[in-house]
């Protein structure tokens, strides 16, 4: 897992908020996560907030996590399917960091005591074998640079009360990231058609949802290329060894202590998690 993000001055545009306001928002989100007490939507308190401001807030808290000992283990696209955009009331994807302390081991045990309002998503995970080039990253580049793909469950969590979000709220809150469980399978990318993989989600033994990877911008490869180009504007590179999540095949589903979740991908295999 690789090192810290940085912000470059070029191609960033002009923030609408001050540095002091960025720091205030970042501190409020840190406090909400530490105390497990959700806060009002940031955009209600800071209505001038832009997507650019939101990403700068995200980076403040990522740096704080890195200073505390975490490392960057990857990146994620969220809200990349129509179902998730409709569920959350937004019209474009968001993006965030995956840190080393978000990864759940092979046991798949998720401690809900550390989360506020967890939901589970079903995603193919890309593990990179080489840095993705950007700007100008293409789906061919994603295929060339991906070491393997794996089944995964992303446990999203929001520090914003009742999941009442705008795009800026979720980006500032690190794309509502929580935890990640990788399945055991490691499939070479040229052995699967990532644009057409059926997937199901079961909760406590009951089918909860089903979907197809084509719900993710038509093909998850497109989402990964989009992400590489998007974060390049902020000096962030998707690097060899990083796990990249392209977005969920299904809607997100609420989970709580005592739940057992299982996702099955047609050609990638299965992945499970238990919520304690």
């Amino acid at each position: 897992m690789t090192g810290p993000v940085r912000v470059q001055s070029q191609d960033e545009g002009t923030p609408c908020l001050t540095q002091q306001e960025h720091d205030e928002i970042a501190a409020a989100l840190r406090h909400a996560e530490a105390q497990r007490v959700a806060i009002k939507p940031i955009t209600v308190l800071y209505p001038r907030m832009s997507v650019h401001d939101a990403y700068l807030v995200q980076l403040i808290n990522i740096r704080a996590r890195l200073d505390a000992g975490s490392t960057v283990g990857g990146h994620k696209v969220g809200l990349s399917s129509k179902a998730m955009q409709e569920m959350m009331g937004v019209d474009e994807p968001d993006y965030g960091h995956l840190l080393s302390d978000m990864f759940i081991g092979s046991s798949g045990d998720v401690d809900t005591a550390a989360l506020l309002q967890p939901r589970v998503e079903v995603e193919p995970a890309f593990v990179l074998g080489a840095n993705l080039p950007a700007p100008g990253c293409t789906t061919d580049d994603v295929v060339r640079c991906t070491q393997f793909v794996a089944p995964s469950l992303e446990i999203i969590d929001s520090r914003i009360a009742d999941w009442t979000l705008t795009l800026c709220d979720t980006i500032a809150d690190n794309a509502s990231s929580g935890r990640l469980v990788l399945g055991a399978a490691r499939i070479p990318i040229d052995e699967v058609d990532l644009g057409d993989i059926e997937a199901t989600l079961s909760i406590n033994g009951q089918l909860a949802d089903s979907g197809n990877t084509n719900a993710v911008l038509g093909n998850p490869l497109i989402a990964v290329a989009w992400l590489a180009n998007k974060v390049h504007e902020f000096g962030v590179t998707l690097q060899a060894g990083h796990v990249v999540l392209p977005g969920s095949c299904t809607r997100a589903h609420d989970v709580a202590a005592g739940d057992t979740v299982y996702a099955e991908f047609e050609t990638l295999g299965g992945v499970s998690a238990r919520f304690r």
Side-chain angles (χ1 to χ4, degrees):
M1 296 188 179
T2 50
V5 296
R6 60 191 177 90
V7 178
Q8 295 177 330
S9 59
Q10 64 265 35
D11 298 326
E12 287 190 348
T14 303
C16 297
L17 302 179
T18 66
Q19 182 64 54
Q20 179 178 339
E21 289 171 316
H22 293 159
D23 291 338
E24 290 170 354
I25 296 166
L29 288 167
R30 288 197 304 274
H31 183 268
E33 183 169 19
Q35 300 300 316
R36 296 184 66 241
V37 177
I39 60 175
K40 291 181 180 180
I42 300 162
T43 48
V44 171
L45 303 173
Y46 298 85
R48 294 184 299 111
M49 187 179 197
S50 68
V51 167
H52 180 84
D53 290 304
Y55 198 73
L56 294 178
V57 169
Q58 181 186 134
L59 289 178
I60 290 171
N61 281 340
I62 294 301
R63 290 192 196 98
R65 296 278 286 273
L66 298 180
D67 290 344
S70 293
T71 55
V72 177
H75 299 265
K76 60 166 283 188
V77 183
L79 307 176
S80 54
S81 70
K82 195 68 174 177
M84 283 302 300
Q85 289 179 7
E86 290 175 350
M87 183 177 183
M88 302 309 300
V90 302
D91 59 5
E92 63 178 284
D94 65 356
Y95 36 92
H97 290 73
L98 301 173
L99 301 180
S100 54
D101 54 8
M102 296 178 183
F103 286 72
I104 303 297
S106 58
S107 66
D109 287 338
V110 181
D111 180 10
T112 58
L115 303 172
L116 280 81
Q117 41 192 349
R119 292 174 170 175
V120 67
E121 296 184 337
V122 178
E123 308 189 30
F126 294 70
V127 179
L128 300 180
N131 292 4
L132 284 178
C137 184
T138 67
T139 56
D140 287 341
D141 292 323
V142 176
V143 171
R144 175 176 55 83
C145 294
T146 297
Q147 183 177 10
F148 58 80
V149 290
S152 77
L153 290 168
E154 185 187 4
I155 295 89
I156 59 173
D157 194 25
S158 180
R159 276 55 67 173
I160 308 299
D162 302 318
W163 286 94
T164 306
L165 307 174
T166 67
L167 184 66
C168 290
D169 290 302
T170 183
I171 291 174
D173 191 24
N174 194 30
S176 305
S177 297
R179 300 290 186 269
L180 168 65
V181 182
L182 286 179
R186 301 289 184 264
I187 310 298
I189 195 169
D190 58 0
E191 293 183 7
V192 293
D193 177 6
L194 281 162
D196 186 22
I197 298 175
E198 296 289 337
T200 58
L201 173 67
S202 298
I203 300 177
N204 300 327
Q206 300 296 315
L207 180 65
D209 211 338
S210 62
N212 189 294
T213 54
N214 62 23
V216 182
L217 298 182
N219 190 315
L221 293 168
I222 296 172
V224 176
W226 174 87
L227 179 63
N229 292 319
K230 188 70 176 179
V231 299
H232 172 77
E233 300 170 12
F234 295 89
V236 178
T237 301
L238 306 190
Q239 300 179 14
H242 280 174
V243 176
V244 183
L245 298 182
S248 183
C249 304
T250 68
R251 292 171 67 88
H253 290 262
D254 293 334
V255 286
D259 287 340
T260 298
V261 175
Y262 178 72
E264 177 72 28
F265 292 81
E266 185 179 29
T267 54
L268 297 180
V271 54
S272 63
R274 292 176 296 275
F275 290 83
R276 307 299 191 190

